[in-house]
Amino acid sequence: MARAGLTAERVVAAAADLADEVGFEHISLSALARRFGVKDASLYSHVKNLHDLRTRIAFLAGGEMIDRIADAVAGRAGKDALAAFADAYRAYALEHPGRYASTQIRIDQSLAATSPAFARTAEVTHGMLRAYGLEEPDLTDAVRLLRSTFHGYCALEATGAFGASRDVRTSWNRAVDALHVALEHWPREEPPGGEPSSAPVVP
């Protein structure tokens, strides 16, 4: 029988902590059950399987991460918002490596569509980028540029892959400066017919 008070929320929170400790790829239902002092079968009352558990961790971590980012960018725009966004992203990735790794897994789009965290992430990210005058399809391209740059940098930094004597934080700040310049001078895609879009930017 599961320990009294065991809930899906407690199980997922404990799994997220475990992921930070041992690595997201190393979490298992058996290890999690040992943490609670219960049989593996007790967890199946709260999560369907390991895939379900990992998806729930991703939703939890995504919510935590965007809350931190939203707080950081509140009241800011342009380069200040970009730098605050980037710094909050990097801080979360380095402080919570297992949780952060979960946010990089592919989530079924039908599930993602029901997630408040996913919706808020899009809202905050798009809001920041629209201050640069971007709209679709350039908005999606810019999001992909930021995500790949931030993730690549954090992944390399976390493994100590930057071996040069140059301060890693200084290089990070310079990378954010470069992204700001790129966003300000974005090569906007022309719509069919070759005429630039005259549609207003959504605030």
Side-chain angles (χ1 to χ4, degrees):
M1 179 177 295
R3 176 179 295 178
L6 200 60
T7 64
E9 289 74 19
R10 284 190 65 203
V11 168
V12 174
D17 290 342
L18 182 63
D20 281 340
E21 294 169 18
V22 304
F24 180 67
E25 68 279 12
H26 297 305
I27 61 171
S28 68
L29 289 170
S30 294
L32 190 58
R34 288 195 296 273
R35 174 158 294 201
F36 283 110
V38 299
K39 300 291 186 181
D40 293 11
S42 299
L43 299 182
Y44 289 103
S45 298
H46 308 288
V47 294
K48 296 177 182 177
N49 47 43
L50 182 58
H51 177 74
D52 180 44
L53 177 64
R54 291 184 173 186
T55 299
R56 288 169 182 257
I57 295 172
F59 286 151
L60 171 67
E64 292 176 345
M65 190 171 185
I66 195 56
D67 283 348
R68 179 179 292 199
I69 290 172
D71 287 344
V73 303
R76 301 174 185 268
K79 185 179 179 180
D80 286 345
L82 176 63
F85 188 111
D87 287 347
Y89 183 110
R90 175 173 174 260
Y92 188 88
L94 297 179
E95 292 170 17
H96 299 288
R99 281 171 159 84
Y100 174 70
S102 75
T103 67
Q104 302 305 308
I105 66 173
R106 185 173 181 85
I107 301 292
D108 182 276
Q109 290 303 299
S110 63
L111 293 176
T114 67
S115 168
F118 274 60
R120 192 168 189 224
T121 297
E123 177 186 356
V124 172
T125 307
H126 289 178
M128 178 192 68
L129 290 173
R130 286 192 178 107
Y132 286 96
L134 298 181
E135 55 188 278
E136 294 295 4
D138 299 310
L139 199 58
T140 294
D141 295 338
V143 169
R144 289 174 175 173
L145 172 64
L146 294 187
R147 182 183 179 189
S148 58
T149 301
F150 295 163
H151 174 63
Y153 199 102
C154 292
L156 290 168
E157 182 179 3
T159 60
F162 295 129
S165 59
R166 174 77 162 171
D167 178 65
V168 174
R169 174 71 199 207
T170 300
S171 294
W172 170 262
N173 291 338
R174 296 295 289 152
V176 173
D177 289 344
L179 287 172
H180 169 66
V181 172
L183 292 170
E184 281 198 315
H185 300 279
W186 192 265
R188 287 167 175 76
E189 181 175 320
E190 294 183 354
E195 293 296 326
S197 173
S198 58
V201 176
V202 179

